[in-house]
């Protein structure tokens, strides 16, 4: 069985987490140039009811697959496509027995040039890059936190919490290749049972 790897050409972490002052949310923050991606949910750090969320945006160059199919490097049928991401070890609190949703992003977005994943100082406002509120430039997401198709939807389970992510996303990739769904990439975040809706305070 042959394996062909494709690498993302755009990625970002978007968040509504509080900054160090626990007053201002980092919703205008961009982290498009960071070498890691984060998804998390933090409860009751700022108040008993506060919720802070982080989501991942990830896009792959489907045109490369199309070219490889045309060149007969990749078969035009009978191919399985997997999204694979490696877990990064850290010393922070590690949840267990949770699930991540993998959905198709439904609108275009920009990667951006931000780096700061600690203090959220790389603000995009209406400049280049996506964040919790903006998808690109001066364009807002329809819903803060990103716009996503409801199907196809994939789920990855993490029993120990430190597993790598591996999901068969063949159905979605085939839709991108066929042009029946526009390729705006993947959105990855905790499942609804681990996330809770909260209002954002845009920067």
């Amino acid at each position: 069985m042959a394996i062909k790897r494709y690498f993302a050409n755009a990625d970002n972490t978007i968040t509504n987490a509080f900054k160090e002052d626990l007053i201002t949310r980092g919703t205008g923050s961009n982290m498009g140039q960071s070498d890691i991606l984060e998804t998390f949910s933090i409860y009751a750090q700022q108040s008993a009811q506060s919720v802070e969320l982080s989501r991942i945006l990830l896009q792959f160059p489907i045109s490369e697959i199309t070219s490889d199919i045309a060149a007969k490097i990749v078969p035009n049928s009978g191919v399985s496509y997997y999204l694979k991401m490696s877990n990064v070890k850290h010393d922070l609190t590690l949840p267990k027995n949770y699930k991540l949703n993998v959905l198709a992003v439904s609108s275009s977005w920009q990667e951006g040039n931000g780096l700061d994943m600690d203090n959220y100082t790389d603000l995009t406002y209406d400049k280049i890059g996506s964040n919790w509120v903006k998808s690109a430039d001066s364009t807002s997401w329809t819903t803060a936190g990103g716009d996503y198709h409801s199907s196809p939807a994939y789920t990855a389970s993490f029993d120990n919490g430190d597993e790598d992510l591996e999901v068969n996303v063949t159905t979605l990739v085939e839709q991108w290749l066929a042009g029946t769904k526009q390729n705006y990439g993947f959105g990855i975040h905790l499942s609804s049972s681990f996330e809770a809706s909260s209002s954002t305070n845009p920067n």
Side-chain angles (χ1 to χ4, degrees):
M1 179 179 65
I3 296 175
K4 172 75 175 180
R5 290 182 173 87
Y6 296 94
F7 297 93
N9 60 344
D11 59 64
N12 192 18
T13 296
I14 57 175
T15 188
N16 69 352
F18 284 103
K19 297 184 178 183
E20 284 187 323
D21 60 12
L22 293 183
I23 297 174
T24 308
R25 288 185 183 265
T27 51
S29 169
N30 175 268
M31 295 163 269
Q33 294 304 304
S34 176
D35 57 358
I36 62 172
L37 298 163
E38 291 184 342
T39 183
F40 60 72
S41 179
I42 303 173
Y43 291 87
Q45 176 176 240
Q46 189 264 354
S47 70
Q49 292 78 36
S50 68
V51 179
E52 302 166 68
L53 303 175
S54 169
R55 294 174 174 175
I56 293 170
L57 303 176
L58 192 64
Q59 189 171 30
F60 288 83
I62 294 300
S63 59
E64 290 187 13
I65 302 178
T66 302
S67 296
D68 284 346
I69 291 174
K72 301 187 183 304
I73 297 172
V74 173
N76 60 7
S77 63
V79 178
S80 295
Y81 297 95
Y82 287 83
L83 173 64
K84 300 183 74 172
M85 299 178 69
S86 298
N87 175 63
V88 177
K89 308 295 184 181
H90 56 77
D91 58 1
L92 301 178
T93 301
L94 187 66
K96 296 182 179 181
N97 300 316
Y98 66 90
K99 294 180 179 180
L100 290 180
N101 286 339
V102 178
L103 304 171
V105 180
S106 60
S107 57
S108 63
W109 53 276
Q110 292 177 328
E111 182 177 40
N113 302 310
L115 284 168
D116 187 0
M117 303 191 78
D118 296 316
N119 301 313
Y120 307 126
T121 57
D122 293 333
L123 304 181
T124 57
Y125 290 105
D126 294 340
K127 300 178 183 178
I128 294 174
S130 52
N131 57 48
W132 190 262
V133 177
K134 302 287 187 180
S135 60
D137 295 329
S138 58
T139 304
S140 297
W141 297 108
T142 301
T143 303
D147 302 328
Y148 310 96
H149 290 288
S150 59
S151 66
Y154 307 98
T155 302
S157 298
F158 296 81
D159 296 333
N160 297 322
D162 60 356
E163 297 93 337
D164 294 336
L165 182 148
E166 182 173 333
V167 180
N168 186 325
V169 293
T170 302
T171 301
L172 177 55
V173 174
E174 288 178 341
Q175 290 178 1
W176 287 337
L177 290 170
T180 56
K181 191 179 260 83
Q182 188 71 31
N183 171 30
Y184 296 127
F186 298 100
I188 304 166
H189 56 80
L190 289 162
S191 63
S192 57
S193 61
F194 289 89
E195 277 196 351
S197 60
S198 62
S199 61
T200 59
N201 179 21
N203 291 311

